[in-house]
Amino acid sequence: MRSILRNDPSINIISISQNDNGEYCTCEKCAAVDKEEGSPAGLLLRFVNAVAEDLEKDYPNLLIDTLAYRYTQAAPLKTV
């Protein structure tokens, strides 16, 4: 993402979303987060938030969106 943003400074919004299928990681660590959050959406949002935090210093006006569909439709219990 950083390479893309460096090469095109006019970009002001990016989308970080899940794959369009019902497959997602069910490893022990991811399953633990899913259980804590009550939905795989929590893990997705944690990832999106981490990317946003990493980019915000260098790209303070960048908007980041994601989608909630299929297995991430249920809102997480903790992460916003």
Side-chain angles (χ1 to χ4, degrees), residues 46-60:
R46 288 181 189 195
F47 178 73
V48 172
N49 288 342
V51 171
E53 288 175 18
D54 184 65
L55 294 173
E56 72 181 331
K57 180 181 175 197
D58 297 323
Y59 303 95

Side-chain angles (χ1 to χ4, degrees), residues 29-75:
K29 289 182 179 181
C30 290
V33 174
D34 292 348
K35 183 177 180 182
E36 177 185 352
E37 291 282 6
S39 167
L43 187 62
L44 173 64
L45 290 179
R46 288 181 189 195
F47 178 73
V48 172
N49 288 342
V51 171
E53 288 175 18
D54 184 65
L55 294 173
E56 72 181 331
K57 180 181 175 197
D58 297 323
Y59 303 95
N61 297 317
L62 182 68
L63 298 174
I64 300 175
D65 72 9
T66 192
L67 302 172
Y69 63 98
R70 299 190 57 108
Y71 62 86
T72 60
Q73 286 182 346

Side-chain angles (χ1 to χ4, degrees), residues 3-58:
S3 174
I4 292 169
L5 291 167
R6 268 193 304 273
N7 289 330
D8 188 350
S10 69
I11 294 173
N12 59 11
I13 186 168
I14 61 172
S15 183
I16 301 174
S17 300
Q18 68 196 49
N19 289 326
D20 189 12
N21 60 42
E23 298 178 22
Y24 57 94
C25 186
T26 57
C27 77
E28 187 176 312
K29 289 182 179 181
C30 290
V33 174
D34 292 348
K35 183 177 180 182
E36 177 185 352
E37 291 282 6
S39 167
L43 187 62
L44 173 64
L45 290 179
R46 288 181 189 195
F47 178 73
V48 172
N49 288 342
V51 171
E53 288 175 18
D54 184 65
L55 294 173
E56 72 181 331
K57 180 181 175 197
D58 297 323

